[in-house]
Amino acid sequence: MAVMDPDDDRQDLQAEVDQLMGGLRSDLERLAAIPSIAFPGFPAEPVQEAHDLLVGLLHDAGVEHVERIDLPDTAPVIFGEIPPPTPDAPTVLLYSHYDVQPPGDESLWRSPPFEPTPVEEAGEGGLRARGIADDKSNVIAHLGMLRVFGGRPPVGVKIVFEGQEEYGSPFDGYPPTDPERFACDAMVIADLGNLRPGTPTLTTGLRGAAEVTVEVRTLQEPRHSGEFGGAAPDALLVLLKALSTLHDVHGDVAVEGLRRDEWTGTSYTEDEFRDLAGVEAGLPLIGSGTLGERLWSGPAITVIGLDAPSVEHAASAVVPYARAKLNLRFHPLQDPHEAQARLVDHLAALKPFGIPLTVTPGDTGPGYEAATGGPAYRAARAALKQAWGTDASYVATGGSIPLVNGLAQAAPNAEVLLFGAQDSMCNLHAPNERVLFSELRATVVAMCAFVREYAAHFKGDLKGGAAS
């Protein structure tokens, strides 16, 4: 194992990581070959197999204290700890997850989803497999940092590798109930990555999410559309009329009280976004303003489900009942219950054609916006520049990582950093997911440089929330 002296800045960090890349690639292939899908209906044995492999790899990387956190109705969480090397050294919590999404329609994959397969993309080498980017590459990046320092990094380390992030887990709410275990000065949440390959990116905001169901019943049963259509209230027409009020003529959300701010960070180009979203040629995007506002610092409402007669089985009848499920994404700093209430109130106030709607609020999840002015962010910006050779950009994401809020509540003064080996072009949750070796390598370099920079410049009077 390569061992790097954390106090010797003259050593070539890039060369140290390069020496380890062969082993890291091999371990990534082993891990990605395990179908660790923690969803109902899938076998539990592969999840346990991935857990056991990682425990062994952590021990091999020099982590002596490794245990499991067992909670009801979730896969085991791996928890590891390395004490700070000195009393005044900071503690960094490292998070990733070892479970993966189901592969979906395997006929859409160019190779079997759990057989890691080499890929070439714009001259870059990588591997294709389900979960290889989200999030097994980031697990391996954490291990790479530990190997570079021989298990003795210049900071204290707490490791959290979750086993049921993709399906959702009661672990999301656990950290605030055990704050001493998760106490730290900074967290590296490695469940994200760069906006595009080669562009170092820190994600500073996560939109919140809420669900609302709206339904309408107008008739006791279907009635002949020729005899009754035109006067009998059609439930589907009522519902569609209500849904049409959620957006204005430009496609912007028209619900009052949902926060939208100017986005000042970087963003996709329109061509990049069209390609990523798979927008059909010639069609416009919806909404106005910058992509950052539409995707990250403003609201979005999506109809994610609709109960209505199918076209294939349609009858010539007035529809008596219709229902829709809505997904709301909202500004990272807006209260989730307030945001959901704004949508509920908007719908409840409607009476399309004089007919009331039944509106039912569902689950909510808060967003998150990181403070970026502390010593950990200064160290991270320097580290990402060292790894990628250019200044880091700030982005947000419309997705959510519920555990971030739980960890932030457990360690409220800790700085939260979100970066990793994924990139936005990696086919996350889609067929043919891939990771690039260049991104994995640079992420290991960045994590090593981060802990070294952070340890060197950490000040005792900035420790708020330091581990005891």
Side-chain angles (χ1 to χ4, degrees), residues 93-183:
L93 185 148
L94 307 176
Y95 170 84
S96 297
H97 63 87
Y98 62 90
D99 64 306
V100 302
Q101 282 278 328
D105 184 352
E106 295 193 24
S107 69
L108 300 176
W109 286 77
R110 292 190 286 271
S111 56
F114 293 104
E115 293 182 14
T117 303
V119 298
E120 286 289 332
E121 182 176 304
E124 296 277 0
L127 290 170
R128 177 173 57 241
R130 168 54 85 227
I132 202 156
D134 181 22
D135 195 36
K136 291 178 177 179
S137 60
N138 286 319
V139 172
I140 295 299
H142 286 319
L143 285 165
M145 183 275 288
L146 295 172
R147 289 178 185 177
V148 167
F149 290 106
R152 297 186 297 277
V155 298
V157 171
K158 294 184 177 181
I159 297 156
V160 178
F161 290 164
E162 190 179 0
Q164 193 176 297
E165 189 273 346
E166 296 290 5
Y167 179 70
S169 167
F171 181 66
D172 294 344
Y174 175 74
T177 71
D178 192 4
E180 185 174 355
R181 180 191 292 271
F182 301 99

Side-chain angles (χ1 to χ4, degrees), residues 12 55 82 95 120 157 237 274 312 325 342 413 421 431-432 451:
D12 187 344
V55 168
I82 300 172
Y95 170 84
E120 286 289 332
V157 171
L237 290 179
R274 286 177 173 278
E312 185 177 352
K325 188 172 187 178
R342 295 288 189 171
N413 294 312
N432 303 303
V451 296

Side-chain angles (χ1 to χ4, degrees), residues 265-295:
T266 191
S267 182
Y268 302 111
T269 66
E270 184 169 319
D271 286 343
E272 285 176 332
F273 182 78
R274 286 177 173 278
D275 185 58
L276 285 170
V279 178
E280 294 287 347
L283 295 183
L285 303 183
I286 66 169
S288 62
T290 68
L291 279 173
E293 289 178 34
R294 284 180 272 176
L295 297 173

